[in-house]
Each structure stands twice: as structure tokens, then as C-alpha cells.
Amino acid sequence: MLPISRRRLLPVKNLPSKVHCLSSSLKVQYSFPLFTSLNCIYSVRSQLSLSSLICLPKTLNPSFSSYCSYSSNSQGFHYFHQFFPTCSSNFNYLNSNERRRVVVGLTKVIKLQNGYDLMELSRNFCPNMLLKIMQLLESRESAFAFFKFAFQNHSDAAVQSCCIVAHELAAENFQLLAQDVITWVIRKIGATRSRDMVEFMWAKHHEYESDFSVLNTLMRCFLNVEMGYEAMEIVGRMREVGVTPSSSAITILFRCLLRADDYRSVWKLLRGMIREGPRPCNHNFNIMILYFCKKGYIRIAESLSCVMQKFGCEPDVYAYNILINAYCTRGRISNALELVHLMIDNGCSPSLITFGTIINAFCNEGKLVEARKVFYDIQEIGLSPNVEMCNALMNGYVKARDVGQAKLLYEGMMKKGIAPDGITFNILVVGHYKYGREEDRNSFLQDLSVSRLAPDCSLYDISVAGLCWAGELDEAMELLENMLEKGIPLSVIAFNSVIAAYSLAGLEENAHKAYKVMVMFGLIPSSSTCSSLLLGLSRKGRLQEGMELLYSMLEKGLPVNKKAFTVLMDGYFKVGDVVGAHTLWHEMEARGIYPDAVAFSAFIDGLSKAGLMEEAYDVYLEMFKKGFVPNNFVYNSLIHGFCTRGQMQEALKLQHEMRKRGLLPDIFTINIIINAFCKEGQMKSAIDVFMDMYHIGLTPDIVTYNTLIGGYCKAFDLVGADEVVNKMYASGWDPDITTYNIHIHGLCGSQKMSRAVMMLDQLVLVGVVPDTVTYNTLINAVCADVLDRAMILTAKLLKMAFVPNVVTANSLLSHFCKQGMPEKALIWSQKLSEISFDFDEISYKIMDKAYLKIQNNDGLPRAASEKSLFLDSLMYITYDYFRRMHSKTSKNPIRLIENGYDGS
């Protein structure tokens, strides 16, 4: 028989045995004389139950397409057992493909009349017989699968036998199979026992293989099971005996140590390479630069790019691109551009990836002029943009709501022969549906379908995405299911569109249903799938389910990125669960998913809103250490947090700091600071900030004016409030409902009810619709006003279709207490509770206060009977509204939700 190295490894097409299916049993009849003398072994074993033949290949008979799993408690006999001394082997280590390979291989062995080796193995497990059978199985995959099944006993003797098998395989130039064997043994016996195995292999290796061969095998095997420390020990042994590790193995070791954050070993390994070899190459340095950038240590990565030149390694385009991407990710585009000029000066030509990264970074920051300049400049130096670059610029146009420019770019792509992909069409569809005109959208989709420029699968994706953006979610899901039933291939993009749309609409159950359909049809979810599902759960406050989904996806090895963690973390902050948010932050880092600028921004914002300003500021400093440049959102979060706590000096210091770093305060920054000064009654300081806006090129918006009006009203300075209103008109802003509500509240607080009523008439006259805040402000005022005017104003409010809410109920209950009628407050509270009214914390405080007043008999003067009747009538109107709404809800709650009722 030819040795395995000289034989061609061909798939087995025919099986030697004749299979007869009789009733519930399967009889395998071997047609070789060899087996007639082995009746003592095979007489019983040749009768195999169909239920135990779990690994019979499908090529044997098409009807045998499903096999029952083997159970150790069953009395059936497995096909493989006839080749081993015991019947206690475990099949869980083999997948269905490996089982099939082993069956086909063993059948080939029997056909070639090498059954004596199988017989010997069935009598006694020994390394020589195992090695022979593995060689007879010919292919590496089949031999290794058989070994995994055979290696069930993890005793020291069995481990040593496997080591001898590995030695023999290496001696016959089957190093890769030898590595498979040792890797499996290490995985089964663990790190502690592996040390004894290393010593055994080293002591015996001279009989079979060289020092380098055995140590290289051991090193790579430890790397295969992510045991970086043990692999480093093997490298040390190599150094001791004068053997140089291979460059490829060293590169793998670098990856392993960096993943484990074992930086001490990384530097030790690099020093060893410099002194004793192999000499570091560009690939080694690039791996280190990449990992240090991923983990946020960009300064170390920069240093490495300089150090590598001392060892004859000039940074190549890959090294520069890694650093440029790291700068852009952290918002340091100026540094990225400097590096582009440096690489050109050093004789390294930038690639399309280099410029694509820069363009994408500019677009993400909304700097479309700069992005467009880079896009056209590269064409002047002879480079042709690729589809990824075009998609980045097109996406920037769409985010800036310039759909026309996006469409022009698409037409330019077609003229230059740049083939669009699915992402191109999805960007255009999103742009047309979100910001384009309906006729343009329909025309664009019709052009695509007629021209057949988009592949069929992209057209289907576009159709689904279009329905989602049009709000026809159920129709989109129905289209998906119909296409799947017809066998039309769909990509993950179509499902992501539906899942994202359902999640944004708050229909997380529908989103999960789409996800299950997607998995059922064999599509692998992307990181966007996970993020969209988590967004839906997070918005509904179903954070425990979100956490379970996240862990489930991680365990299944599905792609989960930092965006998924950020979405869920933001959800925890919104419900006030700071501990849960902290847990996710640390979990993300523990799993090697290092936060980006968006994650840092979300974490700082959440901590600031929770009032944990010291911790938020520490994270802000950590963000700098990781090489990220905070943007206006981060500064605004910190400034708002300090203002909320009354720490104006810290807030103003941060505003000064952001200016020093080249970031101009935006309208949100100014509004936050003005609001803080107004709350503290420092109206002169608020006006100074207001006037300073014009010096930095900012224009006040409606929020700015409303904030100042509210500040003056709170200070009872109605003249100042009127002046701001006049400035508002002069700047071209018309008052909105918030402006009127603030002014009416100020007038009511100053007991100027006549002017408040006039303002109510004015807002109706200009076409501004009063809201619940308007009604509640006036109701609260009329309850304390003189009866005649109160009744007139109430009639006016009722004509305007006054809609009460919990604030209305609280105002009326509070006035019952204030005007000496606490018992009525409790009576009406009881009536409201009978219709399951949703009280809030203020409601319960008012009820407690009323109960205490009755107990203490405070002796407050009671209201006149007319005023009592007036309050009762208002309370009845409020109660009757809630009673009718409760009746509708209990009869048909779904219809009420569909009609948009939100309790306001």
C-alpha cells in the first residue's frame, strides 16, 4: 500500500456494503472473505438497529436523511462501537459532517481489506493501531475526526499514547495533523496537566523529530487554545536550545497576548525577537499597531510606527491606514491629514482606503465641503473612486438632507462605470423617503426597476426598505414572507430594515418575530440586527429581556458590536438604573469590545443626567487619555450637569475649555447656560450670555427667547419679559404655545388675571392651539380668583374643548385643601380611585396632607358655599371625563391605543 504522502486524497463515491432495510432493522452484509473469519466479533454487531445508526451517510440511501441521536442509556448498539474495546464512547465531540467522514473513511478501509487493523483496535487501544487507521483514512479531516472519537480516556497513559501518535505523524511530515491531535489533547486535559505532557514529548522527541519540529507543534497548539502564557514558555525553551520560532507563529502569539491584554509578555516577546530573532517584520508591527489602536492606546501605536524604522521596517500603507482610521474614529481628522502628508513625503502612496477613511470621517462630522474636496482631488492625481468612497459621500449628502446631490453623485457613478451595490441603493431609498418628494421617490424606484441596474436581490431589499420608510410595516413583512415562500433569495439588509422599523415604532414583538423568521431561513444576523432589537426593548424599558438577548447573541458567536452595548446602556440610564449602566460599561471592556467616541459620549451624558458629575468628569478625562476628542455633545452634557447642580463656575470653565480646543459653543450650549442663570435669578448674566451669542456667530432660537421670558416671569419682571417678546418679534420669530404658556403663567403668578385672559384670546386669534399646560395654568389660577371672573374664564376654557389630566386633578384636590375642604379632597380621591385613575406621587402627597388636616382639625376657614360648588363642578367635569375614558379603554383597549390616546 502506498504511504499516505504519495496517495491522492479523493472522495469516496461508492460504498462496498449492501444495505437492506428490513422492517425496523438494518442489516449490513460485508462481501469480503476477511470478515467471514471474524464472526466472533461481528456476528451480533453486523445487525444494527436503524435507531442507533446515527452517522450513516446520506449517500448510502436518500431515504435515510435523519438519524436519531445516540443515548448512553439506550440498549441499541452504535456502528462505531465495533471498532473499540468499550461501548462508552461519547459522540458529542463530532458534528454530523465529521460522523459522515468517519463512516465513509472506515468503509473505504474495509473495502481495501485492511480490516485487521480495525480488529486489533477493537481488542486493545494502542498508539500504533490508532496511527495506522488514521493514515488509512487518508484525509486530514477524517483522520482527526476519528481521533476525536477515539480519544475518550484522558488518563496519563492515554495522553502519552496520543503524544507518540503525534510524534509519528510529524516524523512522516504530517505536522498539521500532529498539531490537530495535540491541540485536542491540550483542550481536554487543561493547562496544568499540559506541562507534564510537554515534558513527556520533549523527553521522547529525539526518536521521531527535531527540536524545532516538536517545539513548533507545542507552541502552535497552545496558541490554538488561546494559552498565551504557555506558548511563551515554549518560546523560552526554543531560545534555550538555540531554535528560532517561525515568524508566522510569532505573529499569532502577538495576537493571542494582545487579546489577553498581557502587554508585559508582548514587550518581552518583541525584545526577544530583536535580540535573537526572528527579526520583526512589518506584519508583526502592524498587528501590534492595530491592536493598540483598537484598545485605545493610540500613543503607543504611534511610537511603534516610529520604532519599527530602527529595525529596517518602514511603515507601509497598512500601518498608516490603521493609524489614520484611529485618528478619524477619535475625531482627530487634522492629525489624520498630517499623517497622509507624512506618508506621501516618506514615499508611501496612499490607497483608496486611505482617502475613503478621510471622506467618511468628514461626512460623519457634517463637513461635506471638505469631504467633497478630497473626493475630487484624488481624481486629479489619477485615482478613481470606488463604490465604498461614493457610498460614504452619498450618505453624507443624505444626512445633510441634500438628496439632489446624492442623486447627482449616483448618476456620476453610472457614467464612470462604478457599479453600485446594495448599500448604494439603500442610502438613496432612505434619502428619497425621508427627505425627498414623493414623485421623485416613485420615479427613482421605477427607474431602478426598468433599468435593471440593481441586482434582483437589491431590488427586493429596496422594495422592503421603501415600504418600511413609508410606514407600511406589516406590508413590508408580508412581502418578505411571500418572497421567501417563492424561494427568492433575500439578504440580511431586508430583514434589518423591517426589524429596525418595527423597533423604532415601538412594536418590539413584531421585530422579534421578523428576527426569528430570519434565523429560520438560515440568514446570519448582523451587528445592526442586534442593535435594532435592543433599541426596541430599551425604548419600552424591557431591559432585562434586552440583557438576556445580548448575552444569548454573544454566546452564539453572533456579531455584537459596541453600538449594541451603547443602546442598552442608554436605556438603563433613562430608567435611572445607574448600576445596570455601569455593569454594561465594564462588561463591554471585559469582552474586549472597547468603547468608541459614541459610547463615551453616551456614558458621560447618562452620568451627568444622574447627577454623578465627579464620575462623569473622570470618564471625560479618560476619553482624552484614550485619544478621543470630545465633541459639543459631550461638553453640553457636562455643562448641563454642572448647571443643574448649581456649579456655574465649573460649567463656565468647561465652556472656556471647549473654545480653547477649537470647538465653538453651539445654540444648545448657550441655551443651557442662559437657563441656569435664569433659574438662579441672575438675569443680567443671562442677558450678557445672550448678547455674546452674536459675537460668536450664533442666532437665538425660540428656546433662547422662551428661556429668557420664563426667567423674567419667575423674577416677576413682566416689563423685562415684554421686552424679550418684542426682540423676539424683531428677530423674525413668532411666539409658540410654550411662549404663551410661560407668559400666562407669569401673569397668573402676578395676579394679573385680566391680562392672562387677554393673552388667551390673543393666542387663539393668531391660530395657536392651547394645550393641556395652558388649561391647567388657568384652571389653577381661576380656583383662587374671584368667583365671577373664574366662572367666565371656565366657560371659555370649556368652549375650547378643555382636556384634563392628572395635573388638573391634583390642582383641584390641592385647592380643596387650601380652601378648608380637606374632606372633599378625600371624597373626590376615593371616587377617582374607583375608576382606576392613575394617581402620581403628588396626588398621594395631597391626600396625605388632607388626611392630616382632618386629623389635626386645623380649623382653616371654609370656602363660601358658592366657591365650594364651583370647585365641585370643576372636579365633576374632570371626574366625568376620566370615567368615560376608562369605560372606553376597558371595552376596547386596543382600539384606544390605535386611535392615539395617550392619557393627556
Side-chain angles (χ1 to χ4, degrees):
M1 183 178 65
L2 289 170
I4 190 170
S5 58
R6 297 185 184 178
R7 278 182 268 141
R8 295 181 65 191
L9 306 182
L10 299 174
V12 181
K13 295 182 179 178
N14 300 308
L15 296 177
S17 54
K18 299 175 183 178
V19 180
H20 302 282
C21 185
L22 301 174
S23 182
S24 62
S25 65
L26 181 76
K27 183 180 292 185
V28 182
Q29 298 179 338
Y30 299 102
S31 57
F32 302 106
L34 163 70
F35 288 91
T36 58
S37 62
L38 300 178
N39 289 335
C40 59
I41 299 174
Y42 295 112
S43 59
V44 177
R45 297 179 182 178
S46 60
Q47 300 287 335
L48 301 179
S49 169
L50 179 61
S51 64
S52 67
L53 193 58
I54 64 170
C55 57
L56 189 65
K58 294 181 183 179
T59 53
L60 194 63
N61 190 321
S63 64
F64 302 146
S65 58
S66 62
Y67 316 111
C68 300
S69 298
Y70 174 78
S71 171
S72 58
N73 297 326
S74 66
Q75 296 180 354
F77 190 82
H78 195 284
Y79 173 69
F80 288 163
H81 285 157
Q82 58 192 301
F83 308 117
F84 293 93
T86 65
C87 296
S88 59
S89 299
N90 192 342
F91 300 96
N92 295 333
Y93 299 139
L94 303 184
N95 58 40
S96 57
N97 184 48
E98 287 173 327
R99 294 175 188 177
R100 181 186 178 281
R101 282 182 175 277
V102 173
V103 171
V104 171
L106 291 177
T107 309
K108 183 80 174 287
V109 170
I110 295 168
K111 181 179 180 181
L112 295 174
Q113 301 189 22
N114 291 311
Y116 287 110
D117 297 319
L118 293 172
M119 182 181 69
E120 286 298 321
L121 185 63
S122 70
R123 291 174 179 169
N124 182 33
F125 180 84
C126 69
N128 289 335
M129 287 301 106
L130 180 59
L131 178 65
K132 274 190 175 183
I133 295 169
M134 288 174 69
Q135 289 177 325
L136 289 169
L137 289 172
E138 299 188 354
S139 76
R140 174 186 169 190
E141 293 79 8
S142 300
F144 180 51
F146 186 80
F147 171 78
K148 285 202 294 185
F149 175 71
F151 182 55
Q152 303 286 332
N153 178 6
H154 301 163
S155 66
D156 290 342
V159 170
Q160 290 173 6
S161 296
C162 294
C163 292
I164 293 170
V165 170
H167 280 316
E168 291 276 10
L169 288 168
E172 295 191 23
N173 293 324
F174 295 113
Q175 278 88 0
L176 294 179
L177 186 52
Q179 289 172 25
D180 291 338
V181 168
I182 297 302
T183 298
W184 187 256
V185 172
I186 292 172
R187 187 173 278 119
K188 291 302 163 190
I189 65 175
T192 305
R193 291 182 63 194
S194 293
R195 292 190 175 90
D196 295 333
M197 185 201 72
V198 169
E199 296 306 325
F200 177 82
M201 288 194 73
W202 181 251
K204 296 280 186 181
H205 81 278
H206 291 297
E207 302 174 19
Y208 306 95
E209 53 184 323
S210 65
D211 291 352
F212 174 79
S213 177
V214 66
L215 292 174
N216 182 60
T217 294
L218 287 167
M219 178 187 174
R220 289 180 180 275
C221 293
F222 280 122
L223 290 173
N224 289 340
V225 293
E226 296 285 326
M227 292 184 183
Y229 177 78
E230 288 74 10
M232 276 294 290
E233 288 184 336
I234 300 298
V235 172
R237 188 171 295 217
M238 285 180 158
R239 303 289 190 203
E240 289 173 8
V241 298
V243 172
T244 303
S246 69
S247 182
S248 61
I250 288 291
T251 302
I252 298 169
L253 180 53
F254 270 125
R255 285 199 188 101
C256 184
L257 295 172
L258 287 165
R259 276 198 295 266
D261 294 337
D262 189 356
Y263 303 114
R264 182 178 178 183
S265 296
V266 168
W267 298 123
K268 181 181 176 182
L269 181 61
L270 184 60
R271 286 194 297 269
M273 291 177 72
I274 293 166
R275 288 195 307 265
E276 304 174 59
R279 193 170 185 80
C281 64
N282 274 50
H283 194 53
N284 300 140
F285 280 109
N286 289 349
I287 288 292
M288 295 173 70
I289 291 169
L290 175 63
Y291 271 88
F292 279 119
C293 285
K294 276 186 175 180
K295 295 183 179 183
Y297 301 113
I298 194 166
R299 289 182 182 175
I300 299 174
E302 292 169 346
S303 302
L304 276 170
S305 67
C306 299
V307 167
M308 64 189 293
Q309 299 177 43
K310 296 180 180 179
F311 304 103
C313 297
E314 287 293 328
D316 55 16
V317 68
Y318 301 105
Y320 283 117
N321 283 346
I322 292 165
L323 285 168
I324 288 167
N325 182 64
Y327 285 136
C328 290
T329 305
R330 286 155 178 76
R332 295 165 59 181
I333 303 181
S334 57
N335 296 102
L337 290 171
E338 287 173 10
L339 198 57
V340 172
H341 293 303
L342 178 64
M343 70 187 291
I344 293 170
D345 293 341
N346 290 340
C348 181
S349 300
S351 66
L352 288 175
I353 293 173
T354 315
F355 293 114
T357 305
I358 298 289
I359 289 170
N360 191 55
F362 275 133
C363 289
N364 285 338
E365 293 197 0
K367 298 177 178 177
L368 288 175
V369 175
E370 293 87 342
R372 185 164 45 203
K373 186 176 184 305
V374 175
F375 183 81
Y376 289 109
D377 283 352
I378 65 168
Q379 297 178 57
E380 292 178 7
I381 61 173
L383 287 175
S384 178
N386 57 16
V387 65
E388 288 81 11
M389 207 177 292
C390 294
N391 287 346
L393 185 57
M394 194 180 296
N395 193 42
Y397 283 135
V398 168
K399 284 181 178 177
R401 305 190 177 197
D402 194 345
V403 182
Q405 283 292 338
K407 194 171 180 182
L408 284 174
L409 179 58
Y410 166 72
E411 290 168 357
M413 286 174 64
M414 303 310 299
K415 288 177 183 176
K416 292 180 180 178
I418 304 170
D421 58 10
I423 295 172
T424 314
F425 296 120
N426 277 316
I427 291 169
L428 287 168
V429 168
V430 169
H432 279 82
Y433 270 94
K434 286 183 77 174
Y435 310 120
R437 294 180 304 174
E438 188 174 350
E439 54 270 26
D440 292 338
R441 174 201 319 160
N442 296 334
S443 169
F444 170 71
L445 291 174
Q446 189 174 3
D447 289 346
L448 277 182
S449 122
V450 170
S451 64
R452 305 297 292 173
L453 289 172
D456 287 344
C457 57
S458 292
L459 279 173
Y460 299 136
D461 294 341
I462 291 166
S463 301
V464 172
L467 287 170
C468 290
W469 283 109
E472 299 172 5
L473 306 187
D474 292 335
E475 289 81 355
M477 190 63 203
E478 187 178 347
L479 176 62
L480 259 182
E481 291 173 338
N482 288 340
M483 287 191 288
L484 288 168
E485 286 176 6
K486 293 175 182 176
I488 298 171
L490 287 173
S491 72
V492 71
I493 296 172
F495 278 97
N496 282 349
S497 297
V498 174
I499 292 168
Y502 274 133
S503 296
L504 287 169
L507 302 168
E508 66 281 354
E509 296 297 339
N510 301 56
H512 199 70
K513 176 192 170 188
Y515 167 70
K516 289 197 286 189
V517 172
M518 170 184 176
V519 173
M520 185 175 69
F521 278 90
L523 287 170
I524 299 173
S526 67
S527 54
S528 297
T529 316
C530 178
S531 301
S532 297
L533 287 168
L534 289 174
L535 179 65
L537 293 170
S538 178
R539 285 188 166 191
K540 283 295 183 73
R542 296 166 60 179
L543 299 170
Q544 185 58 39
E545 293 174 55
M547 188 74 88
E548 289 170 3
L549 174 65
L550 181 68
Y551 283 134
S552 171
M553 287 189 153
L554 286 167
E555 287 169 10
K556 291 174 182 175
L558 296 174
V560 177
N561 60 11
K562 55 199 76 173
K563 183 182 176 183
F565 280 92
T566 306
V567 165
L568 200 54
M569 181 177 68
D570 188 54
Y572 274 105
F573 274 126
K574 282 179 179 174
V575 298
D577 188 349
V578 180
V579 175
H582 268 100
T583 302
L584 269 172
W585 179 260
H586 297 305
E587 177 77 17
M588 179 165 55
E589 290 190 327
R591 291 184 178 270
I593 303 173
Y594 293 89
D596 57 5
V598 177
F600 269 112
S601 302
F603 196 46
I604 291 168
D605 184 57
L607 292 171
S608 300
K609 286 176 179 173
L612 303 170
M613 294 312 302
E614 290 78 9
E615 189 174 349
Y617 193 77
D618 287 342
V619 177
Y620 159 77
L621 296 176
E622 184 188 348
M623 188 176 182
F624 270 114
K625 288 179 185 175
K626 297 287 187 182
F628 292 101
V629 177
N631 57 12
N632 281 43
F633 178 80
V634 174
Y635 281 108
N636 289 345
S637 298
L638 289 167
I639 290 170
H640 184 266
F642 281 124
C643 287
T644 303
R645 283 179 46 168
Q647 296 175 278
M648 288 301 299
Q649 289 303 316
E650 285 78 1
L652 294 173
K653 194 185 297 181
L654 271 171
Q655 186 199 13
H656 180 66
E657 185 180 320
M658 71 186 290
R659 290 188 182 192
K660 279 176 63 179
R661 295 187 182 277
L663 286 172
L664 282 176
D666 54 24
I667 190 66
F668 301 103
T669 320
I670 300 301
N671 286 343
I672 290 166
I673 293 172
I674 289 175
N675 184 57
F677 279 129
C678 288
K679 280 185 176 179
E680 293 190 0
Q682 299 180 37
M683 294 309 299
K684 184 181 182 306
S685 299
I687 289 295
D688 288 342
V689 176
F690 172 76
M691 298 306 295
D692 188 51
M693 290 177 70
Y694 295 96
H695 295 113
I696 60 175
L698 288 175
T699 305
D701 63 3
I702 190 75
V703 176
T704 318
Y705 289 112
N706 286 343
T707 305
L708 286 169
I709 293 167
Y712 278 117
C713 287
K714 186 179 177 183
F716 301 106
D717 184 355
L718 295 180
V719 174
D722 288 338
E723 287 177 359
V724 175
V725 171
N726 292 333
K727 285 180 182 178
M728 184 177 177
Y729 278 117
S731 299
W733 287 97
D734 289 326
D736 62 1
I737 186 60
T738 305
T739 316
Y740 283 109
N741 285 343
I742 292 168
H743 216 152
I744 288 171
H745 186 271
L747 291 168
C748 290
S750 301
Q751 303 297 315
K752 297 186 177 181
M753 289 301 299
S754 297
R755 283 190 61 187
V757 173
M758 287 172 61
M759 187 156 286
L760 177 66
D761 293 335
Q762 182 186 345
L763 75 89
V764 173
L765 190 64
V766 297
V768 178
V769 180
D771 62 8
T772 307
V773 176
T774 320
Y775 296 136
N776 285 337
T777 303
L778 289 166
I779 283 289
N780 187 55
V782 300
C783 288
D785 199 24
V786 293
L787 186 60
D788 292 343
R789 188 163 55 194
M791 292 179 70
I792 293 169
L793 183 54
T794 303
K796 186 176 296 222
L797 291 174
L798 291 173
K799 275 186 178 181
M800 292 179 182
F802 163 58
V803 178
N805 64 0
V806 66
V807 177
T808 319
N810 288 344
S811 293
L812 294 170
L813 293 173
S814 178
H815 277 284
F816 276 122
C817 289
K818 287 177 183 176
Q819 300 191 33
M821 295 176 283
E823 68 282 353
K824 284 205 170 187
L826 292 177
I827 291 168
W828 280 112
S829 298
Q830 177 62 32
K831 289 184 74 66
L832 285 169
S833 66
E834 289 171 1
I835 57 170
S836 302
F837 177 71
D838 289 329
F839 293 109
D840 61 11
E841 289 184 13
I842 296 173
S843 311
Y844 291 113
K845 286 180 181 178
I846 294 169
M847 285 185 260
D848 290 341
K849 188 177 180 181
Y851 181 72
L852 285 171
K853 282 181 180 292
I854 292 171
Q855 272 194 327
N856 297 335
N857 194 16
D858 284 349
L860 288 172
R862 295 182 64 84
S865 58
E866 296 87 354
K867 197 61 177 281
S868 173
L869 286 171
F870 174 68
L871 287 174
D872 273 331
S873 64
L874 284 177
M875 196 71 225
Y876 178 77
I877 293 168
T878 304
Y879 163 78
D880 185 58
Y881 174 83
F882 288 128
R883 182 184 58 78
R884 285 184 286 107
M885 296 315 298
H886 172 71
S887 176
K888 286 182 183 179
T889 307
S890 57
K891 287 179 181 177
N892 195 345
I894 295 174
R895 186 176 298 278
L896 196 59
I897 293 168
E898 287 175 347
N899 290 336
Y901 173 69
D902 60 0
S904 61

